[in-house]
Amino acid sequence: GEVIRSDIVISNASVWDTQRLLPEGALPGEKQEKMETPECASFMHLHLGIDASDLPDDLECHHVVVNDWELGVEAPQNVIIISIPTVFDPTLAPDGKHVVHAYTAGNEPYSIWEGMDRNSPEYKALKKERAECLYAALENVIPDIRSRVEVEMIGTPLTHERFLRRHRGSYGPAIKAGQATFPGPGTSLPGLYCCGDSTQPGIGLPAVAASGMIAANTIAPVWKHWDLLKKIGAW
């Protein structure tokens, strides 16, 4: 295969997956500590294409369903997030259709999926079973949702693990505020920097975008920009 060499490498893989990509002995004494970073649970996803006939014009895009307020966010299948993006942008689906996405909010245990054959009848049956909470949540928004489904795709922790190369399908490190902090972009291996949801500021799209900016600014801070501007006579 092709070998690309660089003085600087930035990894946006998770802390666990980054460690697996490093040569043996690259971070002596540190690899095991990184691999033991606590992890959040995974997801169940339901992606649907539905018939939108006769649905109300004031249908909202975003919904959160909490089955039991006493159990909390981390309880399996207790909190479900729903998004119907075609409410805002109808061009995302054919005329008269809606796109629907429902998912469990980082609370699906990986352990019940671990080692399963994704082509097995057992896996397919478990997908259907574990997606029932998503359909039940959607029925709070669109009561006849099941009869409207024209396209159905169910995602599991194994889906996350395979297609997104996520360690155990995890949402990210389970680093709790006040107890520990996410690391910055630098590492003890010269030239290796990290960004993504295993670094500051943490998990979620805005935080991950910010982590990329932090990594870039660490490598090329403002004063280096000034030096370049001076060299080309623009300063």
Side-chain angles (χ1 to χ4, degrees):
E2 183 181 5
V3 176
I4 300 174
R5 300 188 182 278
S6 174
D7 293 332
I8 292 175
V9 173
I10 304 174
S11 172
N12 72 339
S14 74
V15 58
W16 310 280
D17 296 298
T18 296
Q19 296 306 307
R20 292 193 184 95
L21 292 170
L22 296 177
E24 194 63 38
L27 291 173
E30 189 175 322
K31 181 173 183 177
Q32 188 59 36
E33 178 185 348
K34 295 288 188 183
M35 290 300 293
E36 292 174 357
T37 301
E39 65 198 40
C40 293
S42 190
F43 294 78
M44 285 298 299
H45 285 279
L46 188 59
H47 293 276
L48 303 176
I50 68 168
D51 178 13
S53 301
D54 302 319
L55 285 177
D57 293 334
D58 60 351
L59 182 67
E60 296 287 346
C61 177
H62 296 119
H63 307 262
V64 178
V65 176
V66 181
N67 293 314
D68 188 331
W69 286 97
E70 298 296 324
L71 292 178
V73 174
E74 296 180 356
Q77 303 201 330
N78 188 45
V79 178
I80 290 94
I81 313 298
I82 297 167
S83 178
I84 311 172
T86 36
V87 166
F88 291 141
D89 186 355
T91 66
L92 295 174
D95 289 344
K97 312 297 179 182
H98 268 315
V99 171
V100 179
H101 177 210
Y103 63 95
T104 55
N107 54 37
E108 179 69 6
Y110 180 83
S111 57
I112 64 176
W113 301 89
E114 190 167 7
M116 293 194 78
D117 179 355
R118 291 183 299 100
N119 296 313
S120 67
E122 292 79 12
Y123 176 68
K124 293 174 182 177
L126 187 59
K127 284 175 68 173
K128 289 286 187 182
E129 176 188 329
R130 300 296 290 181
E132 274 301 302
C133 70
L134 301 174
Y135 272 113
L138 280 166
E139 286 172 337
N140 288 282
V141 180
I142 304 174
D144 60 347
I145 183 72
R146 295 174 195 260
S147 65
R148 293 176 176 272
V149 174
E150 297 179 3
V151 176
E152 177 194 73
M153 293 187 292
I154 301 173
T156 74
L158 298 188
T159 310
H160 265 253
E161 185 176 47
R162 180 189 181 201
F163 290 100
L164 302 180
R165 297 187 68 177
R166 297 292 296 184
H167 167 77
R168 295 171 62 84
S170 175
Y171 184 35
I175 297 175
K176 295 185 177 181
Q179 298 181 15
T181 58
F182 283 81
T187 72
S188 58
L189 185 62
L192 175 63
Y193 295 85
C194 294
C195 63
D197 62 12
S198 292
T199 62
Q200 285 281 6
I203 297 172
L205 183 58
V208 167
S211 78
M213 292 187 285
I214 292 170
N217 189 67
T218 300
I219 296 166
V222 172
W223 48 88
K224 286 191 176 181
H225 295 193
W226 289 344
D227 289 340
L228 288 173
L229 289 171
K230 289 178 183 178
K231 288 178 181 177
I232 64 174
W235 183 262

